[in-house]
Amino acid sequence: MKNKKNGIQSQTSMLSLLGNKTLGRIKNAVEFYLFSTTILLRTFLFGRLKKASLKVLFRQIMFTGYDALPVIGFIALGTSALTILELNQLVGPLGEGPLAFELLVVIVIRQLSIFFTAFVLIARSGTAISTELGNMTVNKEIDLLYSFGISPFEYLVIPRILGLVVALCTLILYFNFFALVGGFVFYNLVYSKIGLQEFLLQVISQLSLSDFILPIIKAVLLGFSIGLISCYHGLKVQTASTEVPQRTIKTVVYSVVAVIVMNIVVTILSYMF
Amino acid sequence: MENIDQNILMDIRHLQMTFDNIEISSDSNFSIQKQKGYLITGPYDSANVRLLSILGGIFPPEPAPGCKCNILYKGTDLYTSKEKTIKEIKKHIAFIFCEGAMISNLSIIENLLLPVSYHFPNYDRTLVLDKIKDDLKYLNIPDILDKRPAEISFYDRKKLSFIRAALMNPELVLVDKPFFNLDDYDRDKTVLYLDKLKKNGSTLIIVSHYLSIIKPLIDEKIILEKGNLVFQKLTGLNEESNEL
């Protein structure tokens, strides 16, 4: 009888734990939705940033965009080189010609450029933003801004998100440029020699209008999502510095999920319309 | 539209706050007058600081259900008004935090200029820089403007927060323990500095336990006790009995 009572009690506590966790997740989702709506409205409806916020925006572009150029260039060279090498490994001399150019466009320029650039952005800037805002919250620097009458949304969040969007757009272009350089070099190493002009003409013949429009749409959506997630988790830190790395991990996980899901959704939509 | 007394800067109506399970409420209304000095004191230090934050528009008061508490700045509610209006009000309020809080990833000069550059984007930079240099000299702070807050001493950071507050030409200056960790020489200097602010038209609200040092600046004491607020006007110069 006692055992049965204990069993019912443990089941009840399990259910209440599960219920609390579910409620907690719903609460977090609602909070994130409200946070995102506020930021979107403030960014697009009340547009004009103050001079002080523009300075933050400029710094964010420099850190996220300019400072990431070497690593993006290196990844782009490596990606296109590996694509050509794997193609040669897979189909041998059959890969020479249109198939190589098509693979460079479809795999590297259309998909991997966005994936890799977004992942570098998450690893460098998403974590940096989340950590920085988390530390600022712990050190009461956010309260300090409130005391000055400075909105942390306007001064900290919006410039950072816009910085990520601008940086992602330019980094994707930069990635594609280096991917083409790598593709050209390794095509010449693996297959028969081809001139730069002919190589470019072959690549361009594989491109469609959507290859110019889609990266921009994806960059804006992904930049915004990574920025929102990073800022949200940074500002969710409350009192202890131990919360900062926990929130940073959440930033990375949620941002990666967002990048993959959004990329797939936008790609499917692009094929449908 | 209610009539606003021109001498009154703030009106606090039915204040209610809870801190560390201590409830403090005032059924009567009280006001903060322009160009006066107020001392918030009492046994509960955290509650004193919380009241300062409430008056500065950082933490909203916590009225009991069914009660309404208003913190009015020149007739405008500091918590329920539109964000734009609140931002406009906060241009005229300066905080001096106990530990001289600064944004750690900005240089000292960027920290000092942050409120001014945010609220007054077209400010005269040369004039402001000259004022900063004069005040640095007055408060005996070395030239550390290009350093980060973590690179300078606590004393300098604390004194710099006085300069940052003064740059805004504030109507209201809220000061949390102005002499915390300062030596006697710096205490005297900061009292004179605050006195200069008051003479230039600022209202001072100070949280401190050192009435004897800041007495020249204070016109009224607000004592936070368990359950309520007690007000004491300081009229004479020798009021040692008032000291807590």
Side-chain angles (χ1 to χ4, degrees):
Chain A
M1 186 70 179
K2 204 177 177 183
N3 279 346
K4 200 176 173 186
K5 207 175 174 182
N6 282 344
I8 293 168
Q9 267 181 354
S10 73
Q11 275 179 356
T12 318
S13 64
M14 278 264 288
L15 277 175
S16 84
L17 188 75
L18 205 68
N20 283 340
K21 278 204 163 184
T22 315
L23 279 178
R25 278 174 192 267
I26 293 170
K27 194 181 150 216
N28 285 342
V30 172
E31 263 181 23
F32 181 70
Y33 169 75
L34 291 174
F35 178 78
S36 312
T37 319
T38 311
I39 299 299
L40 281 168
L41 285 175
R42 278 170 185 258
T43 309
F44 293 112
L45 293 184
F46 308 109
R48 260 184 64 217
L49 282 178
K50 295 211 172 201
K51 255 187 198 171
S53 307
L54 284 173
K55 211 172 169 183
V56 180
L57 171 67
F58 178 72
R59 278 184 183 170
Q60 190 62 51
I61 293 171
M62 285 301 282
F63 172 72
T64 309
Y66 184 75
D67 292 354
L69 288 180
V71 68
I72 290 289
F74 182 71
I75 294 172
L77 284 172
T79 310
S80 54
L82 285 171
T83 307
I84 298 289
L85 289 172
E86 284 298 328
L87 178 69
N88 185 42
Q89 189 66 25
L90 198 67
V91 292
L94 284 175
E96 192 172 355
L99 188 59
F101 303 120
E102 200 175 342
L103 266 188
L104 271 181
V105 169
V106 173
I107 303 288
V108 181
I109 293 177
R110 207 174 283 169
Q111 293 300 341
L112 292 184
S113 66
I114 292 155
F115 262 111
F116 280 129
T117 318
F119 289 147
V120 169
L121 210 77
I122 293 167
R124 288 185 79 253
S125 307
T127 52
I129 289 172
S130 178
T131 311
E132 186 191 9
L133 295 188
N135 284 328
M136 285 182 83
T137 314
V138 173
N139 295 333
K140 307 270 178 214
E141 290 173 19
I142 306 289
D143 290 343
L144 182 68
L145 290 177
Y146 273 123
S147 80
F148 293 152
I150 297 176
S151 157
F153 288 149
E154 206 177 293
Y155 180 68
L156 296 174
V157 177
I158 295 174
R160 277 169 175 73
I161 293 176
L162 291 180
L164 288 192
V165 171
V166 174
L168 190 56
C169 288
T170 47
L171 284 178
I172 287 172
L173 284 176
Y174 189 78
F175 186 101
N176 287 337
F177 170 76
F178 270 87
L180 289 179
V181 172
F184 173 70
V185 172
F186 275 81
Y187 187 91
N188 275 300
L189 287 175
V190 174
Y191 299 116
S192 56
K193 295 270 180 285
I194 182 175
L196 181 63
Q197 198 179 356
E198 198 191 334
F199 176 83
L200 287 176
L201 281 173
Q202 292 285 354
V203 170
I204 289 166
S205 70
Q206 300 293 332
L207 290 169
S208 63
L209 184 65
S210 65
D211 291 320
F212 295 95
I213 300 168
L214 269 185
I216 296 170
I217 294 173
K218 283 183 180 177
V220 172
L221 283 175
L222 297 182
F224 231 96
S225 310
I226 297 167
L228 274 174
I229 292 167
S230 313
C231 292
Y232 172 76
H233 284 290
L235 292 174
K236 274 288 277 184
V237 171
Q238 282 167 353
T239 48
S241 56
T242 45
E243 293 173 52
V244 178
Q246 291 169 356
R247 285 285 162 190
T248 308
I249 292 166
K250 284 190 177 175
T251 297
V252 174
V253 173
Y254 287 117
S255 299
V256 168
V257 171
V259 165
I260 294 171
V261 171
M262 287 183 123
N263 224 335
I264 291 172
V265 170
V266 176
T267 306
I268 291 172
L269 287 176
S270 74
Y271 289 138
M272 283 168 73
F273 301 105
Chain B
M1 184 76 187
E2 57 186 301
N3 285 327
I4 301 164
D5 186 336
Q6 291 303 311
N7 289 323
I8 291 177
L9 187 69
M10 291 186 84
D11 251 323
I12 292 90
R13 295 178 183 170
H14 311 295
L15 177 74
Q16 285 195 322
M17 54 184 260
T18 311
F19 200 80
D20 291 343
N21 294 325
I22 303 161
E23 271 186 39
I24 294 168
S25 62
S26 168
D27 289 333
S28 56
N29 303 329
F30 67 96
S31 52
I32 303 291
Q33 301 212 339
K34 285 179 185 169
Q35 277 180 277
K36 297 274 181 189
Y38 294 84
L39 171 70
I40 298 175
T41 188
Y44 309 108
D45 190 48
S46 307
N48 299 337
V49 179
R50 177 54 64 95
L51 176 59
L52 196 73
S53 305
I54 289 174
L55 297 177
I58 301 182
F59 287 108
E62 298 140 328
C67 298
K68 207 179 173 197
C69 166
N70 297 105
I71 311 291
L72 304 175
Y73 188 94
K74 290 182 175 174
T76 308
D77 198 300
L78 256 181
Y79 290 96
T80 56
S81 305
K82 282 183 178 169
E83 194 186 328
K84 205 175 170 187
T85 316
I86 294 172
K87 208 184 263 181
E88 204 54 42
I89 291 173
K90 286 200 173 173
K91 276 183 184 178
H92 307 290
I93 301 177
F95 251 97
I96 298 171
F97 288 95
C98 174
E99 286 161 8
M102 288 193 169
I103 308 287
S104 48
N105 58 5
L106 295 181
S107 68
I108 299 298
I109 186 68
E110 285 170 331
N111 264 291
L112 293 179
L113 294 176
L114 179 61
V116 189
S117 61
Y118 186 84
H119 290 299
F120 308 99
N122 300 320
Y123 72 100
D124 186 341
R125 195 177 159 90
T126 326
L127 204 74
V128 171
L129 287 178
D130 285 346
K131 185 172 165 31
I132 290 173
K133 277 176 191 160
D134 289 347
D135 286 354
L136 285 177
K137 206 181 268 177
Y138 179 76
L139 288 172
N140 208 18
I141 306 171
D143 189 7
I144 44 175
L145 294 177
D146 293 326
K147 293 190 174 179
R148 294 278 173 108
E151 293 176 280
I152 66 169
S153 74
F154 173 84
Y155 313 102
D156 288 337
R157 217 157 60 214
K158 174 99 183 182
K159 288 187 280 181
L160 284 164
S161 65
F162 283 83
I163 298 176
R164 181 177 57 196
L167 287 179
M168 298 285 287
N169 292 325
E171 288 174 344
L172 175 64
V173 184
L174 300 145
V175 195
D176 180 14
K177 293 179 225 52
F179 314 120
F180 180 69
N181 264 359
L182 291 182
D183 58 26
D184 289 348
Y185 176 77
D186 284 330
R187 282 179 191 181
D188 294 342
K189 281 272 185 182
T190 46
V191 169
L192 289 172
Y193 196 83
L194 287 172
D195 191 42
K196 203 167 81 180
L197 281 177
K198 194 179 170 193
K199 282 179 181 149
N200 284 342
S202 299
T203 301
L204 305 178
I205 304 179
I206 304 170
V207 169
S208 178
H209 295 292
Y210 297 102
L211 177 60
S212 55
I213 302 171
I214 49 168
K215 198 184 273 175
L217 305 170
I218 301 301
D219 299 291
E220 195 168 343
K221 276 208 297 187
I222 304 170
I223 307 168
L224 269 82
E225 293 178 338
K226 197 164 189 172
N228 65 343
L229 297 171
V230 177
F231 299 92
Q232 262 181 22
K233 281 208 182 334
L234 300 189
T235 45
L237 282 172
N238 297 315
E239 296 221 29
E240 290 305 316
S241 58
N242 278 335
E243 191 151 2
L244 285 169

